[in-house]
Amino acid sequence: GFSKQMVEILSRHGVAFSSFDIFSDEEVRQGLKTFSNWPTYPQLYVAGELIGGLDIIKELEASGELDTICPKAQKLEDRLKSLINKAPVMLFMKGNKQMAKCGFSKQIIEIMNNTGFPNSCLLFQVRQGLKSFSNWPTYPQLYVKGELVGGLDIVK
């Protein structure tokens, strides 16, 4: 229950965080108690420093300090802009260059390979958000210098 409360608080505040299941590794579980000199879980760390357990996080939330201590998750639009501009040419597709997971993605890879076009591919994590961001309902999506060129039909 305490871990669930911690996750709810962090999520409510839009905090970017990862977690580790202490039940998955008893050595880590016991070692972290010694390392941190904090006998209970959950334990929240920011930039490698122990902030505290649930009671401390609740106090920080009540005082408004939690928002200044914890890093915020990057907004999806900012993340998408960053990904689109990661390389001069970005291809968002289903699968990867070696194993396209749909016929359209396979065709666009073939076109790009046959024309000597350099490309970078991305995974599925941004799939739905990118459709809304680009106002383009399908994949693949080809971007050049951060601008949407289009899908397979446009590339052809």
Side-chain angles (χ1 to χ4, degrees):
F2 294 139
S3 294
K4 183 178 179 181
Q5 288 180 56
M6 177 83 80
V7 167
E8 288 171 353
I9 290 169
L10 296 175
S11 296
R12 188 169 52 244
H13 286 266
V15 174
F17 70 96
S18 184
S19 63
F20 180 84
D21 180 2
I22 57 166
F23 290 127
S24 68
D25 189 324
E26 185 63 26
E27 185 177 27
V28 169
R29 181 178 179 193
Q30 296 307 322
L32 194 56
K33 287 180 181 181
T34 303
F35 174 80
S36 65
N37 198 25
W38 196 272
T40 61
Y41 289 101
Q43 296 179 7
L44 180 67
Y45 290 78
V46 174
E49 296 295 321
L50 176 66
I51 302 302
L54 181 60
D55 53 342
I56 302 295
I57 300 314
K58 285 181 174 181
E59 289 175 14
L60 291 170
E61 180 183 36
S63 71
E65 293 177 79
L66 185 64
D67 290 326
T68 60
I69 292 173
C70 294
K72 297 291 183 188
Q74 188 178 23
K75 291 181 183 174
L76 180 59
E77 184 173 330
D78 294 338
R79 185 172 161 222
L80 293 172
K81 285 178 183 177
S82 176
L83 290 169
I84 288 166
N85 289 289
K86 192 172 185 176
V89 178
M90 281 297 289
L91 177 63
F92 294 83
M93 58 179 281
K94 295 176 183 175
N96 59 49
K97 292 184 277 190
Q98 293 74 32
M99 178 75 79
K101 293 194 176 189
C102 80
F104 296 131
S105 293
K106 184 177 180 181
Q107 287 181 55
I108 202 166
I109 288 293
E110 288 172 0
I111 291 169
M112 293 177 79
N113 286 340
N114 291 338
T115 59
F117 220 83
N119 61 76
S120 299
C121 299
L122 198 64
L123 304 175
F124 290 108
Q125 291 97 320
V126 297
R127 197 163 81 186
Q128 290 310 116
L130 189 61
K131 285 181 181 182
S132 299
F133 177 80
S134 66
N135 198 25
W136 194 270
T138 60
Y139 288 96
Q141 293 183 15
L142 180 66
Y143 288 78
V144 176
K145 297 181 183 171
E147 296 293 322
L148 175 66
V149 174
L152 177 61
D153 53 343
I154 303 298
V155 172
K156 280 183 172 180

